[in-house]
Amino acid sequence: MVRWCAAVVTMLVCLAGQPVGAQSGESIAIDAQAATTPFPHFWEQMFGSGRAILTLRESYREDLRAVKKVADFRYVRFHAILHDEVGVYNEDDHGNPVCNFSYVDQIYDGLLKNGVRPFVEISFMPKKLAFNPDALHPFWYKQNVSPPKSMELWDDLMKHFAQHLVDRYGIDEVSQWYFEVWNEPNIDFWNGIPRDRSYFDLYAHTARDLKAVSPRLRVGGPATAAAAWVSDFLKFTSENHVPVDFVSTHGYADDTTLDLFGKDLDIPMDERVCRAVEKVHKEIKQSSTPDVPLFWTEWNVQGMKESRDTIFAGAGLANTIRQCDGIVDMMSWWTFSDVFEEGGPISRPFIGMFGLRAKGGINKPSYYAYGLLHELGDQRIANDSKDLIATKTAGGGLAIAVWNLVDPDAQGGPRTVDLTFAHVTPNARVRIQRIDQEHGDVLRHYAAIGSPEDPTAAQVEQLNRESALPAPQQTALRDGKLSLTLTPNALVLIEVQP
């Protein structure tokens, strides 16, 4: 579908003219023969999601399949595979352990059937194995955060768990999974004393247990909140010859700099995640295992003013990809779905939750943003712009993302961008897609139907149909140039044909 712009109409993308009030143009040169670096899609290979038992719900699986259609979704991580609701651990009348992997099988079978592998977070403590059965976290599902009452019983459970997975799925399959020990043990998800040393002991036992089943199983940690403990963790694993196949930790845009860096710093929220990634990347390089991969197993853009439901999430995602490229191996957006119950069942759509899809399976702007950014190529072209990612595609063309990031608590206006291309056909055909208040923003359509708390299936279908991105705009370069006008938090994908 061809859409031509008129200078008298305020539009996101146009070839001539700009809307009234737009900021003066920014000129960006893109050289198709400039140096390139590999650009693996590290931001879309893994996603987080609430807890294990939710994966058995059809709503969860529908959301998983929907996200799989727009992103290179290979792994999913969730909490509480050992929660009592999964039924893994029990004891007989004589105190002997009894394992039951029936629900575990259904959970992992469902993922694999839909083309996604588990990133296994080993948590939380079965109550009958807990040193303190009453050590319950305040989350709605009340997971136990105690250390085990017996490390021997824990070892036995870990070996049985791993052996069962290998027996059921085969070592060639399970060796492609990852096993992460616990979740955020530096805060209230773990009450061992002292927290760090007791967790390191748990990690050492768990890693050795898994490797005893097969050295091909991949295990890592410390899975901390706010980029904590990594240097101490790697020092411990090195000095005690404990296996570690990857480092994992977390960091969010609205984490404080005191939590992320140990002191109050003037770092904008839009830069905090990747500044923390850079910090941990350096800690790994300075360790005795400098080549171990780094997985950022939880992150998201800042969430004030319910911004994760808005078009801001797309621009924030693109901006984070630009900054984190080259210093992290995988990043896991928390979460792909609002089938999520940390505070209890979600009462209505669009309450600022983490997912790409709202209650009922409604696509948010972040869902469409992942779809656009998936189209970027796998070779990044060197460019100094802070608002653009330029790539080469496998087909020989260019794919470029450009955005106008305006924070949820800030004011901003339209911004013009003048792109000049070198070493491309001067009048090359171009396809343009965008997310802005007129494209991919479901919130206005939701308001138009009265913002129902419990949308019907027909309303969900209507919302997804009305917010779906239209066919790309077809146009062409003019003497190697293209001018864009970006409204606040617009995200644009430009594909230049070879």
Side-chain angles (χ1 to χ4, degrees):
M1 179 179 181
V2 178
R3 292 173 179 260
W4 301 103
C5 71
V8 297
V9 179
T10 299
M11 296 187 68
L12 170 71
V13 179
C14 55
L15 300 177
Q18 60 180 332
V20 175
Q23 300 174 17
S24 58
E26 174 188 5
S27 296
I28 302 175
I30 299 173
D31 186 349
Q33 292 186 4
T36 62
T37 52
F39 191 55
H41 287 205
F42 59 90
W43 67 91
E44 63 170 347
Q45 296 175 25
M46 175 166 55
F47 284 90
S49 67
R51 71 187 197 278
I53 205 69
L54 297 177
T55 72
L56 300 182
R57 296 185 188 171
E58 186 59 21
S59 56
Y60 177 102
R61 293 179 176 181
E62 286 179 354
D63 284 355
L64 185 149
R65 288 188 286 267
V67 174
K68 181 75 172 172
K69 290 179 180 178
V70 300
D72 189 14
F73 191 2
R74 301 180 185 181
Y75 293 95
V76 63
R77 172 186 178 271
F78 43 74
H79 305 318
I81 193 66
L82 302 181
H83 193 291
D84 287 328
E85 64 190 354
V86 182
V88 170
Y89 182 87
N90 205 343
E91 294 177 356
D92 65 19
D93 293 340
H94 303 288
N96 300 311
V98 178
C99 294
N100 183 341
F101 299 113
S102 176
Y103 281 176
V104 168
D105 294 344
Q106 293 178 49
I107 288 166
Y108 292 152
D109 287 356
L111 299 182
L112 295 171
K113 183 178 179 181
N114 285 289
V116 175
R117 290 190 168 102
F119 191 102
V120 181
E121 177 199 300
I122 299 174
S123 68
F124 289 96
M125 195 62 60
K127 287 184 182 179
K128 288 191 176 180
L129 185 52
F131 176 79
N132 179 4
D134 297 322
L136 304 183
H137 191 273
F139 278 173
W140 182 73
Y141 58 94
K142 298 297 185 289
Q143 70 271 36
N144 188 285
V145 297
S146 169
K149 64 184 180 183
S150 162
M151 199 58 78
E152 182 180 1
L153 289 174
W154 175 261
D155 290 336
D156 182 72
L157 173 59
M158 289 298 97
K159 291 175 183 176
H160 276 86
F161 177 60
Q163 189 63 58
H164 173 80
L165 297 177
V166 170
D167 291 344
R168 182 173 181 83
Y169 302 107
I171 188 58
D172 288 342
E173 171 61 36
V174 183
S175 65
Q176 298 182 73
W177 303 8
Y178 295 94
F179 292 83
E180 181 184 45
V181 181
W182 216 255
N183 175 71
E184 300 188 348
N186 58 316
I187 58 173
D188 62 353
F189 293 100
W190 174 252
N191 71 357
I193 300 174
R195 275 197 169 118
D196 52 355
R197 282 185 288 171
S198 62
Y199 169 76
F200 293 164
D201 185 47
L202 181 83
Y203 177 87
H205 276 265
T206 307
R208 289 168 176 153
D209 295 337
L210 298 179
K211 295 291 188 179
V213 171
S214 173
R216 295 174 62 187
L217 298 183
R218 300 183 291 192
V219 61
T224 39
W229 289 6
V230 170
S231 290
D232 290 343
F233 171 73
L234 291 177
K235 183 174 184 290
F236 169 84
T237 56
S238 175
E239 291 178 349
N240 293 278
H241 308 289
V242 178
V244 56
D245 297 306
F246 61 88
V247 165
S248 66
T249 189
H250 305 162
Y252 289 78
D254 43 15
D255 281 343
T256 68
T257 61
L258 181 62
D259 286 341
L260 288 170
F261 307 105
K263 51 187 173 181
D264 290 318
L265 299 170
D266 185 18
I267 300 175
M269 288 187 182
D270 301 316
E271 299 178 14
R272 290 181 190 176
V273 170
C274 293
R275 290 279 291 272
V277 170
E278 184 178 22
K279 180 194 82 166
V280 175
H281 177 80
K282 289 179 179 177
E283 290 172 342
I284 293 172
K285 291 301 180 186
Q286 293 166 359
S287 75
S288 61
T289 53
D291 298 321
V292 68
L294 171 58
F295 299 149
W296 210 261
T297 53
E298 285 187 28
W299 84 280
N300 207 306
V301 298
Q302 56 263 47
M304 77 279 284
K305 297 187 176 181
E306 301 179 354
S307 58
R308 291 168 181 145
D309 292 336
T310 73
I311 60 172
F312 167 79
L317 167 63
N319 189 52
T320 301
I321 293 169
R322 175 190 64 81
Q323 296 174 72
C324 285
D325 177 35
I327 55 174
V328 65
D329 293 272
M330 281 198 292
M331 296 185 75
S332 180
W333 179 279
W334 184 263
T335 59
F336 76 82
S337 171
D338 279 357
V339 179
F340 186 80
E341 294 177 347
E342 287 183 355
I346 291 176
S347 60
R348 57 180 297 125
F350 308 118
I351 57 172
M353 295 304 295
F354 300 97
L356 303 188
R357 302 189 96 207
K359 174 185 174 181
I362 304 170
N363 298 329
K364 300 184 189 181
S366 55
Y367 173 86
Y368 297 117
Y370 266 92
L372 285 192
L373 296 170
H374 176 74
E375 300 303 320
L376 291 172
D378 60 4
Q379 293 291 318
R380 184 174 175 184
I381 300 170
N383 196 284
D384 293 332
S385 174
K386 293 184 177 181
D387 306 299
L388 177 142
I389 299 169
T391 67
K392 288 186 176 181
T393 65
L398 304 182
I400 299 142
V402 61
W403 56 91
N404 178 15
L405 184 67
V406 178
D407 286 339
D409 57 350
Q411 297 292 323
R415 183 172 64 86
T416 63
V417 178
D418 298 318
L419 303 177
T420 301
F421 293 84
H423 300 107
V424 301
T425 304
N427 302 108
R429 299 297 298 174
V430 174
R431 300 194 310 169
I432 299 172
Q433 288 183 287
R434 63 269 196 181
I435 296 166
D436 62 7
Q437 292 180 348
E438 301 298 322
H439 305 86
D441 185 3
V442 71
L443 291 177
R444 65 191 184 96
H445 301 291
Y446 180 65
I449 65 171
S451 304
E453 289 193 8
D454 297 292
T456 65
Q459 287 173 321
V460 170
E461 188 279 331
Q462 175 187 347
L463 291 170
N464 287 341
R465 173 168 37 83
E466 292 177 344
S467 66
L469 300 185
Q473 174 188 347
Q474 306 286 340
T475 185
L477 299 181
R478 292 185 178 179
D479 297 324
K481 296 180 180 180
L482 181 70
S483 293
L484 312 173
T485 298
L486 286 75
T487 52
N489 286 319
L491 171 64
V492 183
L493 177 72
I494 306 156
E495 296 176 279
V496 180
Q497 304 301 305

